[in-house]
Amino acid sequence: VTYYCCSKVICHGCTAANMMRQKKEGLPDGCPFCRQLYSKTPEETDRQKKKRIEANDPMALRDKGRTHYFDGDYESAFEYCSKAAELGDMEAHCYLYMMYEAGLGVEKDMGKETYHLEVAAIGGHPRARHSLGCNEVGLAFQEDSDIILNRGVKHWIIAAKLGDDDSIVRLKEGFKDGFVSKEEFATALRGHQAAVDATKSPQR
């Protein structure tokens, strides 16, 4: 759930817990972070978004860029996501990666495509790390390189430890095919379970 008043994002479980707390304490419905009351109209929400964009909030800039991306306005998407990426938003780097990869709003550029994907992965983005693993494993089979293959597997293990489900699926397939060791797969499973457990609470 995104709170556009202050550009914070929390899961549905935490949102439900906050609503239960507010109800129990007789408090008005509001943001658990800045305490601002929930917007009641789309126009009010739009004003909140605009205010955050004008404040150069990276999450708000990326959200605007994402909206343009799915509307097919890739030039505007690139503009907003570039600003958000400059301010450290990892999701924005992922959108830039996709645009450079497919040539959406920009010319295809493998160097910039790889750059944005690597920045997002290093910044802790699970899907970016998973995609790096897919790219490396694919390249490894093309070039018959065990070094590149091992590097790709390590990317999947890192992504799995961040809670990425698809990386567990790929590692399981790799284990069956013989290029992921039993120890590597077991390590990834333990890390993935720990990441899943960390998201659990009684409210969820």
Side-chain angles (χ1 to χ4, degrees), residues 25-77:
E25 298 177 7
L27 300 172
D29 293 336
C31 174
F33 297 100
C34 68
R35 309 303 180 190
Q36 182 169 324
L37 298 182
Y38 293 146
S39 58
K40 297 181 179 180
T41 65
E43 291 76 19
E44 188 175 351
T45 300
D46 288 340
R47 285 195 294 272
Q48 290 178 344
K49 291 180 180 180
K50 184 178 180 181
K51 184 177 180 180
R52 299 309 305 167
I53 289 172
E54 291 173 347
N56 280 329
D57 185 300
M59 181 271 177
L61 289 165
R62 181 249 298 159
D63 186 70
K64 185 69 172 178
R66 178 176 58 189
T67 298
H68 284 303
Y69 180 90
F70 286 108
D71 285 342
D73 183 359
Y74 300 116
E75 291 185 3
S76 295

Side-chain angles (χ1 to χ4, degrees), residues 123-176:
H125 196 285
R127 295 302 300 167
R129 182 68 71 171
H130 171 78
S131 295
L132 270 182
C134 292
N135 292 349
E136 294 281 25
V137 171
L139 180 63
F141 283 118
Q142 288 179 17
E143 300 190 1
D144 193 23
S145 170
D146 288 339
I147 294 176
I148 299 177
L149 183 61
N150 290 334
R151 195 163 61 213
V153 169
K154 288 180 180 178
H155 283 307
W156 282 343
I157 293 173
I158 293 171
K161 289 180 177 180
L162 293 171
D164 186 72
D165 295 333
D166 288 339
S167 291
I168 285 292
V169 173
R170 293 299 184 102
L171 287 165
K172 183 178 181 180
E173 293 171 350
F175 176 62
K176 290 180 179 179

